[in-house]
Amino acid sequence: MAKYNYDKKHLKGLGVGAFLGLVKERNKHIEAASDELHPFDYPANKLVDALHPASQLTKVSKVIARANAKSFVLTSTENKPLAYFRAGQYVVLDIKVGKVVVSRPFSISSSPKKALGKDSHYVITIKDNVDGFSSKEVNKKWKVGQAVKISGPQGEFYYSPIRDAKTVVAVAGGSGITPFISMAEAIADGTEDFNLTIIYGAKNKSALLFKDELDAITKKCKKVKVAYVLEDKDGFITAKIIKKYAKGDYSLFVCGPRGLYRAMDKVAKELKLTRRRFRKEAFGEYGDPTKDKDFPKDAINKSYKLTVIMRDKKYHLTCHSNETLLNAMEKGGVHAPSRCRSGECGWCHSLLVSGKIYAPKETEGRRLADYTFNWIHPCSSYPLSDIVLEVPYNK
């Protein structure tokens, strides 16, 4: 067997001089080169920027009045198409309320196909909410021409052929229909390929959003079916109703108010669905935690000091036990990073320097390491004492 796995005779005529001079030769070329950076424009980087922009600058191009809601057509003001997305995803809107800027997530209620080409746009539908801090402001004041800064598409609430059954049974409550109208349109225009059965629950017929659009889609597309369940006529959506429309192997998708999620948790167990076949959209803010059985009674109706550290700045605010730290920051003029507001995405991940917080079990999305090193999600954390919080800078 040969000692070397190459022919050594080719190296015998080579001296070491050429190799020793390589460093000098290299340094000579470096010194002679321009100081300007080479304008590299990698195709992969361009694709990432197009699909996952940190933010997008848009304006309201059209306002569509609906039953107790409004749809806003958003187009880009940056001379380029809006980012493509998966039907069911959402974007986060920066909304100015007085002198305060708040961030709120809203599902895109248009097909991904409409984000392409010269007429690129998203449709965002916002329901009138009597108690809504931002929805009242938007639906009352936003007109055509309103400038709106939004995030890139977010969320995992979309159909995946690897994870989901070929048939999706979608349970929607109220404005929870928005991601499903996007899916229905995407199936109808050929963007998505799966069977969709929507069970849409509302208080009454006048509270149904997108009914005309849904009826039109079902007439032209056999893969989409819709059943309306009216509370004043049919009662609430139950396992029995789902069984009526769900045939064979299916995935159950749910989007709507928090009460619907809790009801569907029980229904999913009754239907014996595996975790893989049961999907829920992030439901936004948790609301008042003082009604929870495990919320400390001595903290109800209490106010505390909140010190926020963001880079080299400190903010001294007041926070109340029945509102999240994120809400307190926004009302105090601190534009903290946030996306889902449900304790899931981790975008607002912040360091609890000192103090105690209450995190509802229903929205507790922290990892074991977060508990160990005092990291929390301000969007779903409520103060139980004075708080010092180190928050990441929001670009």
Side-chain angles (χ1 to χ4, degrees):
M1 184 176 179
K3 187 176 181 181
Y4 304 100
N5 60 357
Y6 56 88
D7 190 348
K8 200 174 179 183
K9 67 183 180 181
H10 296 295
L11 300 176
K12 289 182 178 179
L14 293 177
V16 297
F19 295 100
L20 294 176
L22 281 178
V23 173
K24 281 187 177 181
E25 186 68 19
R26 182 184 64 188
N27 289 340
K28 186 172 71 174
H29 285 286
I30 290 173
E31 289 173 7
S34 170
D35 291 335
E36 293 184 11
L37 292 174
H38 193 285
F40 287 114
D41 195 4
Y42 296 112
N45 289 352
K46 291 176 68 176
L47 182 61
V48 168
D49 290 340
L51 292 177
H52 307 289
S55 63
Q56 303 180 89
L57 301 180
T58 72
K59 67 177 180 180
V60 175
S61 297
K62 187 177 180 180
V63 180
I64 304 167
R66 301 187 181 279
N68 67 358
K70 285 183 179 178
S71 288
F72 298 91
V73 180
L74 302 180
T75 54
S76 176
T77 58
E78 299 180 278
N79 196 30
K80 61 181 180 180
L82 295 171
Y84 191 70
F85 63 97
R86 296 295 303 269
Q89 288 190 301
Y90 64 87
V91 289
V92 179
L93 279 60
D94 281 355
I95 302 169
K96 190 172 183 180
V97 184
K99 296 181 179 180
V100 176
V101 176
V102 300
S103 300
R104 293 292 187 273
F106 292 99
S107 296
I108 305 172
S109 53
S110 51
S111 170
K113 193 172 185 178
K114 292 181 180 177
L116 302 174
K118 292 181 180 179
D119 297 323
S120 172
H121 68 271
Y122 296 158
V123 178
I124 305 297
T125 301
I126 302 177
K127 186 178 179 181
D128 293 330
N129 187 345
V130 177
D131 300 319
F133 180 61
S134 57
S135 60
K136 287 188 295 185
E137 180 77 10
V138 171
N139 284 351
K140 182 180 179 181
K141 296 185 178 180
W142 279 15
K143 311 293 182 186
V144 171
Q146 171 73 42
V148 187
K149 183 181 178 182
I150 66 175
S151 72
Q154 305 283 324
E156 307 297 323
F157 193 67
Y158 53 78
Y159 170 77
S160 169
I162 297 174
R163 175 190 58 213
D164 303 310
K166 188 70 174 180
T167 295
V168 170
V169 176
V171 173
S175 59
I177 191 62
T178 49
F180 300 132
I181 185 69
S182 177
M183 293 181 194
E185 285 191 5
I187 293 169
D189 66 26
T191 303
E192 294 280 6
D193 182 22
F194 62 96
N195 302 308
L196 178 65
T197 297
I198 301 173
I199 303 175
Y200 186 7
K203 288 185 177 180
N204 48 53
K205 190 175 180 180
S206 64
L208 294 170
L209 299 174
F210 296 101
K211 186 177 186 304
D212 292 342
E213 290 88 340
L214 287 168
D215 290 344
I217 290 172
T218 57
K219 286 181 180 179
K220 67 180 181 181
C221 181
K222 293 182 179 180
K223 290 185 176 181
V224 179
K225 297 179 174 61
V226 182
Y228 302 106
V229 179
L230 304 180
E231 187 180 325
D232 63 355
K233 180 182 176 182
D234 310 302
F236 297 103
I237 299 172
T238 62
K240 184 178 180 181
I241 290 176
I242 293 175
K243 286 179 182 178
K244 180 180 177 182
Y245 298 102
K247 306 298 180 184
D249 186 24
Y250 64 92
S251 290
L252 181 66
F253 282 31
V254 181
C255 186
R258 189 170 296 106
L260 179 66
Y261 291 121
R262 289 169 179 162
M264 289 302 108
D265 283 342
K266 296 177 182 177
V267 166
K269 291 180 180 178
E270 189 176 341
L271 295 172
K272 297 181 180 179
L273 292 173
T274 63
R275 187 174 179 180
R276 181 184 178 191
R277 290 289 192 254
F278 181 41
R279 309 280 315 291
K280 294 183 291 185
E281 172 60 305
F283 51 69
E285 292 184 358
Y286 183 76
D288 187 357
T290 59
K291 298 176 183 178
D292 294 354
K293 291 181 180 179
D294 60 340
F295 188 88
K297 302 304 178 187
D298 59 351
I300 295 176
N301 297 325
K302 291 289 184 66
S303 295
Y304 303 102
K305 295 177 182 178
L306 170 60
T307 302
V308 179
I309 304 168
M310 184 183 283
R311 281 193 172 177
D312 57 345
K313 290 186 178 181
K314 273 189 179 183
Y315 303 86
H316 300 283
L317 313 171
T318 299
C319 56
H320 305 285
S321 60
N322 65 342
E323 71 174 349
T324 65
L325 296 176
L326 178 60
N327 267 347
M329 286 189 283
E330 289 180 335
K331 289 180 180 179
V334 179
H335 192 202
S338 70
R339 286 293 184 266
C340 71
R341 304 185 80 90
S342 301
E344 294 182 9
C345 69
W347 200 272
C348 63
H349 204 229
S350 302
L351 179 64
L352 181 64
V353 179
S354 66
K356 294 181 180 180
I357 57 103
Y358 171 78
K361 294 177 183 177
E362 204 169 342
T363 61
E364 185 56 284
R366 288 182 292 170
R367 303 162 297 178
L368 183 60
D370 291 333
Y371 289 98
T372 303
F373 299 106
N374 284 340
W375 289 87
I376 66 169
H377 296 148
C379 72
S380 56
S381 299
Y382 299 82
L384 297 178
S385 70
D386 291 345
I387 299 289
V388 177
L389 194 64
E390 189 173 322
V391 179
Y393 178 70
N394 192 17
K395 295 181 181 180

